[in-house]
Structure formats: C-alpha cells, structure tokens
Amino acid sequence: KELIPEFYDTNSGFDFLINARGLNLGITQNGDRVHDIKLPPWARSARDFIKKNRKALESDICTKKLPKWIDLIFGEKSRGEKAKEAFNLFHRMAYLGPADLELMGSDEERSSSELQATEFGIVPDQLFCLAHPLKNENVS
C-alpha cells in the first residue's frame, strides 16, 4: 500500500501507527488480531521510525533514484515495450480498470478479477509518457 506524505511529518502526530482507540482492525491470515504496528528492531519508537524513514527518503541516493521509480510506476516504463525491457510487467489482471470490469460477461469473471485486485493490487494508470527529469534538470 502507498503512504501519504503526512506519514513522514512528525509534527502531525504518529498516532496512526498505534491503535489508541482500540479499533477492530480485523485479524491476520494466521488468526492474530491486527492492533498496533510492529516496528522493526532498529526503531526505538513510532516517532523514531518516522524520523528514520523520512531521513532515508530525503537522502541523496533516494533523490537520485526517484525519477527512475516514477518511470517504473507512473511513467514510460510502466507499460508496453519499455516496461518489458525494464522487467516491469505484471499479470494481465493487474492492468484492468473499472471499464474492463463492466465489459466482463459474467458475475463470476468480475468477482474473480476484483479478488485478484484485492489480493495482489493493480497497476496505477500511466501518467507520464517521457522519462521523468532528474532534480534540478531543466525541463523544456
């Protein structure tokens, strides 16, 4: 799942990592109750986890690689021949959209496709058709 930018803002609070309200968030496949997030061993607290993630995302290496990630997820390498060359292809069901579901002939086929999307996700729409520019690169 994708995380919104507010996730990385320690001033907006980090309560979403902790189920302070005791909400029923369901159970995992092995029967455990979903509750607070389980932090990795390198995080001393929820706030520390967010600070370290933000620091990593703002690093020079991430800044340098971000345009390549954008190309793979939303850009020229997300579909077609360039996606194939970048080894960035997914199961054909991952490319379906709402219009495709409406065209399906049976409820069973639609239900199967929706389950596939729920379990494995869908490929986002392509937003860019040219390579994403690097930071500080002149765009004309």
Side-chain angles (χ1 to χ4, degrees):
K1 305 290 179 188
E2 300 294 329
L3 298 173
I4 59 173
E6 287 80 3
F7 175 86
Y8 301 99
D9 184 3
T10 55
N11 295 323
S12 69
F14 52 90
D15 295 346
F16 62 91
L17 296 174
I18 301 164
N19 189 6
R21 294 184 185 147
L23 300 173
N24 182 358
L25 301 173
I27 58 170
T28 64
Q29 290 177 332
N30 65 4
D32 293 338
R33 181 173 179 245
V34 177
H35 195 56
D36 295 345
I37 190 168
K38 291 183 181 176
L39 296 170
W42 50 262
R44 294 187 310 262
S45 66
R47 184 176 295 273
D48 184 56
F49 177 77
I50 291 170
K51 282 182 177 180
K52 287 178 177 173
N53 270 277
R54 184 173 180 160
K55 184 176 181 181
L57 287 170
E58 291 175 347
S59 70
D60 289 341
I61 189 77
C62 280
T63 298
K64 184 178 177 183
K65 300 282 186 183
L66 183 62
K68 293 179 181 183
W69 178 84
I70 291 170
D71 288 342
L72 289 169
I73 305 302
F74 302 108
E76 66 172 358
K77 294 180 180 176
S78 67
R79 286 174 170 62
E81 193 59 36
K82 288 189 178 181
K84 185 177 179 181
E85 291 167 7
F87 301 101
N88 192 36
L89 294 176
F90 298 88
H91 189 278
R92 63 180 183 80
M93 300 290 275
Y95 296 94
L96 297 179
D100 300 308
L101 290 175
E102 290 176 16
L103 295 174
M104 291 183 176
S106 71
D107 288 343
E108 184 179 338
E109 187 180 11
R110 234 180 332 278
S111 178
S112 174
S113 298
E114 288 171 349
L115 179 61
Q116 170 80 18
T118 300
E119 294 293 323
F120 301 103
I122 57 172
V123 176
D125 291 336
Q126 183 175 357
L127 302 177
F128 308 105
C129 56
L130 299 174
H132 203 76
L134 300 173
K135 186 176 181 179
N136 299 327
E137 186 176 287
N138 288 333
V139 179
S140 41

